[in-house]
């Protein structure tokens, strides 16, 4: 288990009077688009954005940075934990995403299975691209051809996961504003644009 506890925002201790509200690296852009926010599990989450239904008909751009993110090294089978999304970076290294309240339990179970575990929730942001034109948007952002994959996404090393009718881009959080703008630039000519998490079909809010 990693000793880098500052990367694990779920370890903040409210009993000491410290109750932070966590925000995405793309928070400012969503506010500029008129997003409605709710506090969910300690995160400020953009739940809806004006025009999102029209955007979803083409390519909706959503922020899933409130997911928990864990990096695990070792021969740990994907099925060792429940409600998770896995991306195998190599044969013995993976990033595991899950609903934020489950992050501590996922860390524990991965550790019990013999993995070397690092909570990277504070290190990564997550963009979701949803809708009929989602793949076109992704193709405009990366030369990668098959998914899931790790590689260059608009000159940023990121992980691209293929989901049901959607793609998730997991990237270093410091590039949040930049990748949000790149994704919108790719989506808007197609009629796409920002959406809130509650608009995602079967979404993870």
């Amino acid at each position: 288990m990693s000793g880098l506890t500052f990367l694990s925002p779920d370890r903040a201790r409210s009993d000491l009077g410290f109750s932070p509200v966590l925000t995405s690296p793309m928070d400012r852009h969503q506010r500029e688009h008129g997003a409605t926010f709710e506090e969910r599990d300690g995160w400020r989450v953009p739940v809806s954005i004006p025009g999102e239904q029209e955007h979803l008909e083409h390519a909706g751009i959503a922020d899933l940075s409130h997911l928990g993110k864990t990096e695990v090294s070792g021969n740990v089978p994907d099925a060792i934990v429940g409600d998770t999304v896995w991306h195998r970076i190599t044969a013995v290294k993976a990033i595991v995403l899950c609903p934020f309240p489950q992050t501590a339990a996922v860390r524990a179970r991965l550790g019990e299975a013999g993995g070397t575990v690092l909570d990277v929730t504070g290190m990564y942001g997550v963009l979701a691209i949803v809708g009929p034109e989602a793949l076109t948007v992704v193709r405009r952002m990366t030369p990668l051809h098959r998914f899931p994959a790790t590689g260059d996404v608009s000159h940023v090393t990121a992980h691209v996961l293929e989901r049901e009718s959607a793609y998730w881009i997991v990237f270093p959080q410091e590039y949040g504003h930049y990748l949000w703008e790149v994704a919108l630039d790719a989506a808007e000519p197609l009629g796409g644009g920002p959406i809130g998490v509650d608009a995602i079909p079967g979404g993870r809010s």
Side-chain angles (χ1 to χ4, degrees):
M1 180 67 68
S2 167
L4 302 176
T5 57
F6 66 92
L7 293 176
S8 305
D10 63 305
R11 292 175 175 172
R13 294 182 57 185
S14 59
D15 60 311
L16 297 180
F18 181 53
S19 299
V21 176
L22 306 169
T23 61
S24 160
M26 297 169 281
D27 181 87
R28 176 172 60 83
H29 282 301
Q30 292 150 357
R31 285 188 277 113
E32 290 173 351
H33 282 91
T36 297
F37 293 87
E38 290 183 6
E39 185 176 334
R40 296 182 178 178
D41 302 310
W43 283 85
R44 175 180 156 93
V45 178
V47 296
S48 64
I49 295 178
E52 60 190 15
Q53 293 307 316
E54 291 82 0
H55 297 155
L56 265 178
E57 294 175 4
H58 307 282
I61 310 298
D63 182 356
L64 296 181
S65 297
H66 60 285
L67 292 173
K69 311 162 196 80
T70 303
E71 186 177 275
V72 58
S73 300
N75 294 310
V76 179
D78 296 7
I80 198 68
V81 289
D83 187 16
T84 55
V85 175
W86 285 67
H87 171 53
R88 286 282 177 185
I89 303 169
T90 69
V92 294
K93 185 176 182 180
I95 187 166
V96 184
L97 295 92
C98 67
F100 184 68
Q102 299 177 22
T103 309
V106 168
R107 284 197 307 262
R109 294 184 67 183
L110 291 170
E112 291 166 0
T116 301
V117 180
L118 177 66
D119 188 319
V120 291
T121 298
M123 291 175 58
Y124 287 105
V126 183
L127 269 175
I129 305 174
V130 186
E133 299 286 358
L135 180 57
T136 301
V137 173
V138 173
R139 295 289 190 213
R140 292 180 174 185
M141 297 178 68
T142 178
L144 298 171
H145 293 291
R146 295 184 179 179
F147 308 104
T150 296
D152 185 309
V153 178
S154 300
H155 309 295
V156 175
T157 300
H159 311 294
V160 184
L161 288 61
E162 187 171 8
R163 305 294 298 150
E164 295 180 7
S165 68
Y167 295 86
W168 292 3
I169 301 174
V170 183
F171 60 89
Q173 60 84 25
E174 59 266 29
Y175 294 102
H177 291 302
Y178 165 67
L179 283 180
W180 177 266
E181 290 177 346
V182 170
L184 285 188
D185 284 347
E188 286 175 347
L190 302 170
I195 64 172
V197 299
D198 285 356
I200 301 173
R204 287 174 172 264
S205 57

Short mmCIF file of all heavy atoms in Angstrom, two decimals, residues 3-57:
data_model
loop_
_atom_site.label_atom_id
_atom_site.label_comp_id
_atom_site.label_asym_id
_atom_site.label_seq_id
_atom_site.Cartn_x
_atom_site.Cartn_y
_atom_site.Cartn_z
N GLY A 3 2.31 4.91 0.76
CA GLY A 3 2.29 5.85 1.86
C GLY A 3 1.97 7.26 1.42
O GLY A 3 1.99 8.17 2.25
N LEU A 4 1.69 7.47 0.14
CA LEU A 4 1.41 8.81 -0.39
C LEU A 4 -0.05 9.16 -0.13
O LEU A 4 -0.87 9.25 -1.05
CB LEU A 4 1.75 8.86 -1.88
CG LEU A 4 3.19 8.53 -2.25
CD1 LEU A 4 3.37 8.53 -3.76
CD2 LEU A 4 4.16 9.50 -1.59
N THR A 5 -0.40 9.37 1.13
CA THR A 5 -1.80 9.56 1.49
C THR A 5 -2.39 10.83 0.92
O THR A 5 -3.61 10.93 0.79
CB THR A 5 -1.96 9.56 3.02
OG1 THR A 5 -1.12 10.59 3.56
CG2 THR A 5 -1.56 8.22 3.60
N PHE A 6 -1.55 11.82 0.56
CA PHE A 6 -2.10 13.05 0.00
C PHE A 6 -2.75 12.82 -1.35
O PHE A 6 -3.49 13.66 -1.84
CB PHE A 6 -1.00 14.12 -0.12
CG PHE A 6 0.07 13.79 -1.13
CD1 PHE A 6 -0.04 14.21 -2.44
CD2 PHE A 6 1.19 13.07 -0.75
CE1 PHE A 6 0.95 13.92 -3.36
CE2 PHE A 6 2.18 12.76 -1.67
CZ PHE A 6 2.07 13.19 -2.97
N LEU A 7 -2.48 11.67 -1.99
CA LEU A 7 -3.11 11.35 -3.25
C LEU A 7 -4.46 10.67 -3.06
O LEU A 7 -5.14 10.35 -4.03
CB LEU A 7 -2.20 10.42 -4.08
CG LEU A 7 -0.88 11.04 -4.56
CD1 LEU A 7 -0.04 9.99 -5.27
CD2 LEU A 7 -1.15 12.22 -5.48
N SER A 8 -4.85 10.42 -1.81
CA SER A 8 -6.10 9.71 -1.51
C SER A 8 -7.07 10.64 -0.82
O SER A 8 -7.14 10.71 0.40
CB SER A 8 -5.80 8.51 -0.59
OG SER A 8 -4.84 7.66 -1.15
N PRO A 9 -7.86 11.40 -1.58
CA PRO A 9 -8.73 12.40 -0.96
C PRO A 9 -9.79 11.82 -0.05
O PRO A 9 -10.32 12.53 0.81
CB PRO A 9 -9.36 13.13 -2.16
CG PRO A 9 -9.15 12.23 -3.32
CD PRO A 9 -7.93 11.45 -3.05
N ASP A 10 -10.10 10.53 -0.18
CA ASP A 10 -11.09 9.94 0.71
C ASP A 10 -10.56 9.77 2.13
O ASP A 10 -11.32 9.44 3.04
CB ASP A 10 -11.55 8.58 0.17
CG ASP A 10 -10.43 7.55 0.10
OD1 ASP A 10 -9.40 7.86 -0.52
OD2 ASP A 10 -10.60 6.45 0.67
N ARG A 11 -9.28 10.03 2.35
CA ARG A 11 -8.71 9.90 3.69
C ARG A 11 -8.77 11.20 4.49
O ARG A 11 -8.29 11.25 5.63
CB ARG A 11 -7.25 9.44 3.58
CG ARG A 11 -7.12 8.02 3.06
CD ARG A 11 -5.69 7.62 2.84
NE ARG A 11 -5.60 6.22 2.47
CZ ARG A 11 -4.47 5.64 2.07
NH1 ARG A 11 -3.35 6.33 1.98
NH2 ARG A 11 -4.46 4.36 1.74
N ALA A 12 -9.33 12.25 3.92
CA ALA A 12 -9.50 13.50 4.68
C ALA A 12 -10.37 13.23 5.91
O ALA A 12 -11.40 12.57 5.82
CB ALA A 12 -10.14 14.57 3.79
N ARG A 13 -9.99 13.77 7.06
CA ARG A 13 -10.66 13.46 8.32
C ARG A 13 -11.59 14.59 8.73
O ARG A 13 -11.17 15.63 9.22
CB ARG A 13 -9.62 13.20 9.42
CG ARG A 13 -8.78 11.96 9.18
CD ARG A 13 -7.81 11.73 10.30
NE ARG A 13 -8.51 11.63 11.60
CZ ARG A 13 -7.86 11.53 12.76
NH1 ARG A 13 -6.54 11.53 12.79
NH2 ARG A 13 -8.55 11.44 13.88
N SER A 14 -12.88 14.37 8.53
CA SER A 14 -13.86 15.39 8.88
C SER A 14 -13.98 15.56 10.39
O SER A 14 -14.43 16.60 10.86
CB SER A 14 -15.23 15.03 8.28
OG SER A 14 -15.67 13.78 8.75
N ASP A 15 -13.55 14.55 11.17
CA ASP A 15 -13.66 14.67 12.62
C ASP A 15 -12.71 15.72 13.18
O ASP A 15 -12.85 16.15 14.32
CB ASP A 15 -13.41 13.31 13.30
CG ASP A 15 -12.01 12.77 13.01
OD1 ASP A 15 -11.62 12.75 11.82
OD2 ASP A 15 -11.32 12.38 13.96
N LEU A 16 -11.75 16.14 12.37
CA LEU A 16 -10.83 17.20 12.78
C LEU A 16 -11.27 18.56 12.23
O LEU A 16 -10.51 19.51 12.26
CB LEU A 16 -9.40 16.88 12.31
CG LEU A 16 -8.78 15.61 12.91
CD1 LEU A 16 -7.37 15.41 12.35
CD2 LEU A 16 -8.73 15.69 14.43
N GLY A 17 -12.49 18.60 11.71
CA GLY A 17 -13.02 19.87 11.20
C GLY A 17 -12.58 20.17 9.79
O GLY A 17 -12.76 21.29 9.31
N PHE A 18 -12.01 19.17 9.10
CA PHE A 18 -11.54 19.37 7.73
C PHE A 18 -12.44 18.58 6.80
O PHE A 18 -12.36 17.36 6.71
CB PHE A 18 -10.10 18.90 7.60
CG PHE A 18 -9.51 19.11 6.22
CD1 PHE A 18 -9.55 20.35 5.60
CD2 PHE A 18 -8.90 18.06 5.56
CE1 PHE A 18 -9.00 20.53 4.35
CE2 PHE A 18 -8.36 18.23 4.30
CZ PHE A 18 -8.40 19.47 3.70
N SER A 19 -13.36 19.26 6.12
CA SER A 19 -14.30 18.61 5.22
C SER A 19 -14.19 19.26 3.85
O SER A 19 -15.01 20.11 3.47
CB SER A 19 -15.73 18.73 5.75
OG SER A 19 -15.85 18.10 7.01
N PRO A 20 -13.18 18.89 3.09
CA PRO A 20 -12.98 19.54 1.79
C PRO A 20 -14.05 19.14 0.80
O PRO A 20 -14.60 18.05 0.86
CB PRO A 20 -11.61 19.01 1.35
CG PRO A 20 -11.53 17.65 1.98
CD PRO A 20 -12.21 17.81 3.32
N VAL A 21 -14.35 20.04 -0.13
CA VAL A 21 -15.17 19.71 -1.29
C VAL A 21 -14.21 19.58 -2.47
O VAL A 21 -13.55 20.54 -2.84
CB VAL A 21 -16.24 20.77 -1.55
CG1 VAL A 21 -17.01 20.44 -2.82
CG2 VAL A 21 -17.18 20.89 -0.36
N LEU A 22 -14.12 18.40 -3.01
CA LEU A 22 -13.17 18.12 -4.08
C LEU A 22 -13.72 18.63 -5.40
O LEU A 22 -14.92 18.56 -5.67
CB LEU A 22 -12.92 16.61 -4.15
CG LEU A 22 -12.48 15.97 -2.83
CD1 LEU A 22 -12.51 14.46 -2.94
CD2 LEU A 22 -11.10 16.47 -2.44
N THR A 23 -12.83 19.14 -6.24
CA THR A 23 -13.24 19.66 -7.54
C THR A 23 -12.38 19.08 -8.64
O THR A 23 -11.23 18.70 -8.43
CB THR A 23 -13.15 21.20 -7.59
OG1 THR A 23 -11.79 21.60 -7.36
CG2 THR A 23 -14.07 21.84 -6.56
N SER A 24 -12.96 19.01 -9.81
CA SER A 24 -12.28 18.50 -10.99
C SER A 24 -11.30 19.53 -11.54
O SER A 24 -11.49 20.73 -11.37
CB SER A 24 -13.33 18.18 -12.05
OG SER A 24 -12.75 18.12 -13.34
N PRO A 25 -10.26 19.07 -12.24
CA PRO A 25 -9.37 20.02 -12.91
C PRO A 25 -10.06 20.77 -14.05
O PRO A 25 -9.50 21.72 -14.58
CB PRO A 25 -8.23 19.13 -13.44
CG PRO A 25 -8.81 17.77 -13.52
CD PRO A 25 -9.79 17.69 -12.39
N MET A 26 -11.28 20.34 -14.41
CA MET A 26 -12.04 21.01 -15.48
C MET A 26 -13.20 21.83 -14.93
O MET A 26 -14.07 22.28 -15.68
CB MET A 26 -12.53 19.96 -16.47
CG MET A 26 -11.38 19.25 -17.17
SD MET A 26 -11.89 17.78 -18.11
CE MET A 26 -12.05 16.57 -16.77
N ASP A 27 -13.23 22.03 -13.64
CA ASP A 27 -14.35 22.69 -12.97
C ASP A 27 -14.63 24.09 -13.54
O ASP A 27 -15.78 24.44 -13.78
CB ASP A 27 -14.05 22.78 -11.47
CG ASP A 27 -15.16 23.44 -10.69
OD1 ASP A 27 -16.09 22.72 -10.27
OD2 ASP A 27 -15.09 24.67 -10.47
N ARG A 28 -13.60 24.87 -13.78
CA ARG A 28 -13.81 26.25 -14.23
C ARG A 28 -14.54 26.29 -15.57
O ARG A 28 -15.45 27.09 -15.78
CB ARG A 28 -12.48 26.99 -14.34
CG ARG A 28 -12.62 28.40 -14.90
CD ARG A 28 -11.33 29.20 -14.83
NE ARG A 28 -10.25 28.58 -15.56
CZ ARG A 28 -10.05 28.73 -16.87
NH1 ARG A 28 -10.91 29.45 -17.60
NH2 ARG A 28 -9.03 28.17 -17.47
N HIS A 29 -14.16 25.41 -16.49
CA HIS A 29 -14.81 25.41 -17.80
C HIS A 29 -16.29 25.05 -17.69
O HIS A 29 -17.13 25.60 -18.41
CB HIS A 29 -14.12 24.41 -18.73
CG HIS A 29 -12.84 24.93 -19.30
ND1 HIS A 29 -12.78 26.07 -20.07
CD2 HIS A 29 -11.57 24.48 -19.22
CE1 HIS A 29 -11.53 26.30 -20.44
NE2 HIS A 29 -10.77 25.33 -19.93
N GLN A 30 -16.62 24.14 -16.80
CA GLN A 30 -18.02 23.76 -16.65
C GLN A 30 -18.83 24.91 -16.06
O GLN A 30 -19.98 25.12 -16.46
CB GLN A 30 -18.11 22.50 -15.78
CG GLN A 30 -17.53 21.31 -16.50
CD GLN A 30 -16.95 20.29 -15.56
OE1 GLN A 30 -16.93 20.48 -14.35
NE2 GLN A 30 -16.46 19.20 -16.11
N ARG A 31 -18.24 25.64 -15.12
CA ARG A 31 -18.93 26.81 -14.59
C ARG A 31 -19.18 27.84 -15.69
O ARG A 31 -20.23 28.46 -15.76
CB ARG A 31 -18.12 27.43 -13.45
CG ARG A 31 -18.19 26.63 -12.15
CD ARG A 31 -17.53 27.34 -10.98
NE ARG A 31 -16.10 27.13 -10.96
CZ ARG A 31 -15.19 28.06 -11.16
NH1 ARG A 31 -15.55 29.31 -11.42
NH2 ARG A 31 -13.90 27.78 -11.09
N GLU A 32 -18.19 27.99 -16.58
CA GLU A 32 -18.34 28.93 -17.69
C GLU A 32 -19.46 28.52 -18.64
O GLU A 32 -20.05 29.37 -19.31
CB GLU A 32 -17.02 29.05 -18.44
CG GLU A 32 -15.93 29.77 -17.65
CD GLU A 32 -14.58 29.73 -18.33
OE1 GLU A 32 -14.45 28.99 -19.34
OE2 GLU A 32 -13.65 30.41 -17.86
N HIS A 33 -19.75 27.22 -18.71
CA HIS A 33 -20.84 26.72 -19.56
C HIS A 33 -22.17 26.65 -18.83
O HIS A 33 -23.14 26.09 -19.34
CB HIS A 33 -20.48 25.35 -20.13
CG HIS A 33 -19.52 25.41 -21.28
ND1 HIS A 33 -18.15 25.33 -21.11
CD2 HIS A 33 -19.72 25.55 -22.62
CE1 HIS A 33 -17.55 25.42 -22.28
NE2 HIS A 33 -18.48 25.56 -23.22
N GLY A 34 -22.24 27.20 -17.63
CA GLY A 34 -23.50 27.27 -16.91
C GLY A 34 -23.93 25.99 -16.23
O GLY A 34 -25.13 25.76 -16.03
N ALA A 35 -22.97 25.14 -15.87
CA ALA A 35 -23.30 23.85 -15.26
C ALA A 35 -24.02 24.02 -13.93
O ALA A 35 -23.77 24.97 -13.18
CB ALA A 35 -22.03 23.03 -15.06
N THR A 36 -24.90 23.08 -13.64
CA THR A 36 -25.51 22.94 -12.32
C THR A 36 -24.71 21.87 -11.58
O THR A 36 -24.49 20.78 -12.12
CB THR A 36 -26.98 22.51 -12.42
OG1 THR A 36 -27.71 23.54 -13.10
CG2 THR A 36 -27.58 22.28 -11.05
N PHE A 37 -24.31 22.20 -10.35
CA PHE A 37 -23.46 21.29 -9.58
C PHE A 37 -24.22 20.73 -8.38
O PHE A 37 -25.12 21.37 -7.84
CB PHE A 37 -22.21 22.00 -9.07
CG PHE A 37 -21.25 22.43 -10.15
CD1 PHE A 37 -21.40 23.65 -10.79
CD2 PHE A 37 -20.20 21.61 -10.52
CE1 PHE A 37 -20.52 24.05 -11.78
CE2 PHE A 37 -19.31 22.00 -11.51
CZ PHE A 37 -19.47 23.23 -12.14
N GLU A 38 -23.83 19.55 -7.96
CA GLU A 38 -24.27 18.97 -6.70
C GLU A 38 -23.05 18.41 -5.98
O GLU A 38 -22.10 17.96 -6.63
CB GLU A 38 -25.28 17.84 -6.93
CG GLU A 38 -26.63 18.30 -7.43
CD GLU A 38 -27.62 17.14 -7.58
OE1 GLU A 38 -27.26 16.00 -7.17
OE2 GLU A 38 -28.72 17.38 -8.09
N GLU A 39 -23.10 18.45 -4.65
CA GLU A 39 -22.04 17.80 -3.88
C GLU A 39 -22.42 16.34 -3.70
O GLU A 39 -23.48 16.01 -3.15
CB GLU A 39 -21.86 18.47 -2.52
CG GLU A 39 -20.70 17.88 -1.75
CD GLU A 39 -20.43 18.59 -0.43
OE1 GLU A 39 -20.79 19.79 -0.32
OE2 GLU A 39 -19.89 17.93 0.48
N ARG A 40 -21.57 15.46 -4.21
CA ARG A 40 -21.80 14.02 -4.13
C ARG A 40 -20.55 13.33 -3.60
O ARG A 40 -19.50 13.41 -4.24
CB ARG A 40 -22.20 13.45 -5.49
CG ARG A 40 -23.51 14.00 -6.03
CD ARG A 40 -23.90 13.37 -7.36
NE ARG A 40 -25.19 13.89 -7.81
CZ ARG A 40 -25.75 13.54 -8.97
NH1 ARG A 40 -25.14 12.69 -9.78
NH2 ARG A 40 -26.93 14.06 -9.31
N ASP A 41 -20.69 12.70 -2.46
CA ASP A 41 -19.58 11.96 -1.86
C ASP A 41 -18.34 12.82 -1.71
O ASP A 41 -17.21 12.37 -1.91
CB ASP A 41 -19.26 10.71 -2.69
CG ASP A 41 -20.47 9.80 -2.84
OD1 ASP A 41 -21.09 9.48 -1.81
OD2 ASP A 41 -20.79 9.41 -3.98
N GLY A 42 -18.56 14.10 -1.38
CA GLY A 42 -17.44 15.01 -1.15
C GLY A 42 -16.91 15.69 -2.40
O GLY A 42 -15.97 16.49 -2.30
N TRP A 43 -17.49 15.42 -3.55
CA TRP A 43 -17.05 16.05 -4.80
C TRP A 43 -18.09 17.06 -5.28
O TRP A 43 -19.28 16.86 -5.12
CB TRP A 43 -16.89 15.01 -5.91
CG TRP A 43 -15.64 14.18 -5.82
CD1 TRP A 43 -15.46 13.05 -5.08
CD2 TRP A 43 -14.42 14.41 -6.51
NE1 TRP A 43 -14.19 12.56 -5.27
CE2 TRP A 43 -13.52 13.38 -6.14
CE3 TRP A 43 -13.98 15.39 -7.41
CZ2 TRP A 43 -12.23 13.30 -6.64
CZ3 TRP A 43 -12.69 15.32 -7.91
CH2 TRP A 43 -11.82 14.28 -7.53
N ARG A 44 -17.61 18.12 -5.89
CA ARG A 44 -18.48 19.08 -6.59
C ARG A 44 -18.64 18.55 -8.01
O ARG A 44 -17.71 18.62 -8.83
CB ARG A 44 -17.81 20.46 -6.57
CG ARG A 44 -18.52 21.55 -7.36
CD ARG A 44 -17.72 22.84 -7.22
NE ARG A 44 -17.96 23.76 -8.31
CZ ARG A 44 -18.85 24.74 -8.31
NH1 ARG A 44 -19.60 24.92 -7.23
NH2 ARG A 44 -18.97 25.56 -9.33
N VAL A 45 -19.82 18.00 -8.31
CA VAL A 45 -20.03 17.25 -9.56
C VAL A 45 -20.96 18.04 -10.49
O VAL A 45 -22.05 18.47 -10.06
CB VAL A 45 -20.65 15.86 -9.27
CG1 VAL A 45 -20.92 15.11 -10.56
CG2 VAL A 45 -19.73 15.06 -8.35
N PRO A 46 -20.58 18.24 -11.76
CA PRO A 46 -21.47 18.91 -12.72
C PRO A 46 -22.54 17.94 -13.20
O PRO A 46 -22.26 17.03 -13.97
CB PRO A 46 -20.52 19.30 -13.85
CG PRO A 46 -19.43 18.26 -13.80
CD PRO A 46 -19.30 17.87 -12.37
N VAL A 47 -23.77 18.13 -12.75
CA VAL A 47 -24.82 17.15 -13.04
C VAL A 47 -25.58 17.47 -14.32
O VAL A 47 -26.13 16.58 -14.97
CB VAL A 47 -25.79 17.00 -11.85
CG1 VAL A 47 -25.06 16.44 -10.64
CG2 VAL A 47 -26.46 18.33 -11.50
N SER A 48 -25.65 18.76 -14.69
CA SER A 48 -26.34 19.12 -15.94
C SER A 48 -25.73 20.40 -16.49
O SER A 48 -25.19 21.22 -15.74
CB SER A 48 -27.84 19.30 -15.71
OG SER A 48 -28.09 20.39 -14.85
N ILE A 49 -25.82 20.54 -17.81
CA ILE A 49 -25.27 21.70 -18.51
C ILE A 49 -26.26 22.09 -19.60
O ILE A 49 -26.79 21.22 -20.31
CB ILE A 49 -23.89 21.38 -19.12
CG1 ILE A 49 -22.87 21.10 -18.01
CG2 ILE A 49 -23.39 22.53 -20.00
CD1 ILE A 49 -21.48 20.75 -18.50
N PRO A 50 -26.58 23.37 -19.77
CA PRO A 50 -27.54 23.78 -20.80
C PRO A 50 -27.16 23.25 -22.19
O PRO A 50 -25.98 23.27 -22.57
CB PRO A 50 -27.47 25.31 -20.75
CG PRO A 50 -27.06 25.62 -19.34
CD PRO A 50 -26.11 24.52 -18.95
N GLY A 51 -28.15 22.76 -22.91
CA GLY A 51 -27.94 22.26 -24.27
C GLY A 51 -27.47 20.83 -24.36
O GLY A 51 -27.20 20.32 -25.46
N GLU A 52 -27.41 20.14 -23.22
CA GLU A 52 -26.79 18.82 -23.23
C GLU A 52 -27.56 17.78 -24.05
O GLU A 52 -26.95 16.88 -24.65
CB GLU A 52 -26.58 18.30 -21.81
CG GLU A 52 -27.85 18.15 -21.00
CD GLU A 52 -27.56 17.86 -19.53
OE1 GLU A 52 -26.41 18.04 -19.07
OE2 GLU A 52 -28.50 17.46 -18.84
N GLN A 53 -28.88 17.88 -24.10
CA GLN A 53 -29.64 16.89 -24.87
C GLN A 53 -29.32 17.01 -26.36
O GLN A 53 -29.19 16.00 -27.06
CB GLN A 53 -31.14 17.05 -24.60
CG GLN A 53 -31.54 16.69 -23.19
CD GLN A 53 -31.07 15.30 -22.77
OE1 GLN A 53 -31.18 14.35 -23.53
NE2 GLN A 53 -30.54 15.18 -21.55
N GLU A 54 -29.20 18.22 -26.85
CA GLU A 54 -28.80 18.40 -28.25
C GLU A 54 -27.39 17.90 -28.48
O GLU A 54 -27.10 17.25 -29.50
CB GLU A 54 -28.90 19.88 -28.63
CG GLU A 54 -30.32 20.43 -28.68
CD GLU A 54 -30.86 20.83 -27.31
OE1 GLU A 54 -30.12 20.68 -26.29
OE2 GLU A 54 -32.02 21.28 -27.24
N HIS A 55 -26.49 18.16 -27.55
CA HIS A 55 -25.10 17.69 -27.69
C HIS A 55 -25.04 16.17 -27.72
O HIS A 55 -24.26 15.58 -28.48
CB HIS A 55 -24.25 18.23 -26.54
CG HIS A 55 -24.15 19.72 -26.51
ND1 HIS A 55 -23.88 20.43 -25.36
CD2 HIS A 55 -24.30 20.65 -27.50
CE1 HIS A 55 -23.86 21.71 -25.64
NE2 HIS A 55 -24.11 21.87 -26.93
N LEU A 56 -25.87 15.52 -26.90
CA LEU A 56 -25.85 14.06 -26.83
C LEU A 56 -26.27 13.41 -28.14
O LEU A 56 -25.92 12.25 -28.39
CB LEU A 56 -26.79 13.58 -25.72
CG LEU A 56 -26.16 13.31 -24.35
CD1 LEU A 56 -27.24 12.90 -23.36
CD2 LEU A 56 -25.10 12.22 -24.45
N GLU A 57 -27.01 14.11 -28.96
CA GLU A 57 -27.40 13.56 -30.25
C GLU A 57 -26.19 13.39 -31.17
O GLU A 57 -26.27 12.69 -32.19
CB GLU A 57 -28.43 14.45 -30.92
CG GLU A 57 -29.76 14.51 -30.17
CD GLU A 57 -30.74 15.49 -30.78
OE1 GLU A 57 -30.39 16.07 -31.85
OE2 GLU A 57 -31.83 15.69 -30.22
#
